Amino acid sequence: MGVRLMVVDDHRLLAEALASALKLRGHRVLAAAAPAAGAAELVITRAPEVCLLGTAAPAEPGVFDPVVRIKRERPQVAVLVLGPVPSPRGIAAAFAAGASGYVRHDERIEGVERAIMKARAGEAAIAPQLVQGAFGELLNPAAQPDDEGQRLLQMLTPREVEVLVRVAEGEDTRVIAAGMGIAPSTARTHVQRVLMKLGVGSRLEAAALAARTGLLDRAGPLPHTRARSETTPGA
């Protein structure tokens, strides 16, 4: 039986894509709304079984205020937070606010669906690797410096770091593809993944964030052009 749910995220395209995928799997998605400011009011009015609430900065003060209000006025609604790789503080803040779970933005749809079903059943929904990572960071704080640029760098694969550097240098999709020896469609996929992981909505925002946090300095120079061409988007 499908779940009555809502998807609320600052990035409308991501929200609508996730809502569409969940509809195809038999769930009843009430809305896919972009403005985070109106999230609580919308959820309280519609009263779904589960709400997927997106955030780009789970450790920021007040980011989970909508969760607090939703749980105060509609305690029966299970709230799942959608976000980037969280810090222990981010995970703790989400659950302290009343969230039923935390799901990464880049989680596969099967993982999102499992989290939804757990949340509806009243269980805590969080991937074991996120819990392990949080405990690892708490036990070994020196292994992961409290530095925004370093944290963002650790979120990206080496290929995605190269894509981000090329984006910051103003290369378009065709130039990125040629420089990396991959298909334009693959380059486009990598760019979208980078934007999603960084929690930004455009290449310009990604470049600005990378420059502001010192991520580009840590990334190092671009490698030489690759000799072979990749043909699969997931490469």
Side-chain angles (χ1 to χ4, degrees):
M1 181 178 178
V3 179
R4 292 179 63 253
L5 54 87
M6 294 182 65
V7 180
V8 184
D9 197 289
D10 282 336
H11 297 90
R12 181 176 294 277
L13 290 179
L14 291 179
E16 291 179 347
L18 180 56
S20 296
L22 290 168
K23 284 180 181 178
L24 289 175
R25 298 179 78 87
H27 300 290
R28 292 164 288 169
V29 185
L30 300 180
E41 190 67 38
L42 192 59
V43 174
I44 290 167
T45 300
R46 297 296 188 90
E49 293 178 276
V50 179
C51 168
L52 296 168
L53 181 66
T55 177
E60 288 294 319
V63 72
F64 296 123
D65 286 352
V67 180
V68 174
R69 185 182 170 199
I70 290 168
K71 296 305 293 184
R72 182 176 64 244
E73 300 192 31
R74 292 286 187 181
Q76 74 277 17
V77 176
V79 181
L80 279 176
V81 175
L82 287 168
V85 178
S87 65
R89 184 173 62 176
I91 293 177
F95 280 96
S100 297
Y102 192 106
V103 182
R104 283 177 49 168
H105 271 137
D106 58 354
E107 178 65 76
R108 296 173 63 88
I109 189 63
E110 294 84 1
V112 176
E113 188 172 40
R114 283 194 296 272
I116 289 171
M117 302 309 291
K118 281 188 174 183
R120 184 174 70 168
E123 302 175 26
I126 183 168
Q129 58 267 33
L130 285 184
V131 177
Q132 292 167 2
F135 275 109
E137 185 176 338
L138 287 172
L139 294 173
N140 303 287
Q144 296 189 25
D146 186 17
D147 179 276
E148 182 69 3
Q150 184 66 23
R151 185 185 69 80
L152 293 174
L153 192 61
Q154 291 174 344
M155 291 170 54
L156 306 174
T157 66
R159 179 63 54 84
E160 290 165 349
V161 171
E162 181 179 349
V163 169
L164 177 58
V165 173
R166 292 181 180 278
V167 166
E169 292 189 353
E171 295 184 5
D172 60 21
T173 301
R174 187 178 299 277
V175 176
I176 292 173
M180 297 179 67
I182 59 178
S185 59
T186 303
R188 191 175 301 109
T189 297
H190 285 316
V191 170
Q192 290 303 313
R193 286 177 179 170
V194 169
L195 298 184
M196 180 177 65
K197 286 186 176 183
L198 295 183
V200 297
S202 70
R203 298 182 183 213
L204 183 60
E205 288 180 76
L209 178 63
R212 176 171 55 81
T213 59
L215 190 155
L216 295 179
D217 295 332
R218 292 177 172 82
L222 289 173
H224 294 298
T225 302
R226 288 172 172 76
R228 72 178 177 84
S229 175
E230 299 171 7
T231 57
T232 57

